[in-house]
Amino acid sequence: RSRGKRDARTASGEFERGEPGPNAPPVEEIEQLIDDRNEARRANNFPEADRIRELLHSRGVALMDEPGGRGRGAEVTTWRYWRD
């Protein structure tokens, strides 16, 4: 996927995330899980980070990590809805 597509923003400056699927969690839950995942990554708890990524994927949320990112939440990981 090209960087331009990933960084597409709406007129209000928000990332374009697509339409949520029927099993998609609320935005607040997605953002909390991303924060939890990034905390696990910083603690080198990669099995937990992978579990959270898979959980979100199974509920129709794709994560995109910035290479070498060391910040928190949205500073490191962006997300969008996806469907098969």
Side-chain angles (χ1 to χ4, degrees):
R1 175 174 276 174
S2 74
R3 184 170 181 82
K5 177 70 173 171
R6 185 171 91 194
D7 291 342
R9 293 180 184 250
T10 64
S12 66
E14 295 292 315
F15 285 103
E16 176 58 50
R17 294 198 165 110
E19 294 295 318
N23 296 324
V27 170
E28 297 79 19
E29 183 179 344
I30 294 169
E31 291 175 351
Q32 180 61 55
L33 286 166
I34 289 170
D35 285 343
D36 294 348
R37 178 175 172 268
N38 285 328
E39 287 295 325
R41 291 174 69 208
R42 277 191 286 282
N44 294 322
N45 186 351
F46 299 109
E48 176 64 7
D50 291 344
R51 184 194 69 78
I52 293 169
R53 178 186 280 276
E54 288 302 315
L55 172 67
L56 286 167
H57 187 266
S58 72
R59 296 183 66 191
V61 178
L63 302 182
M64 291 80 64
D65 294 319
E66 292 297 320
R70 298 245 186 257
R72 295 182 56 85
E75 297 170 12
V76 175
T77 305
T78 57
W79 62 273
R80 62 171 285 119
Y81 298 112
W82 74 277
R83 297 185 199 191
D84 286 330

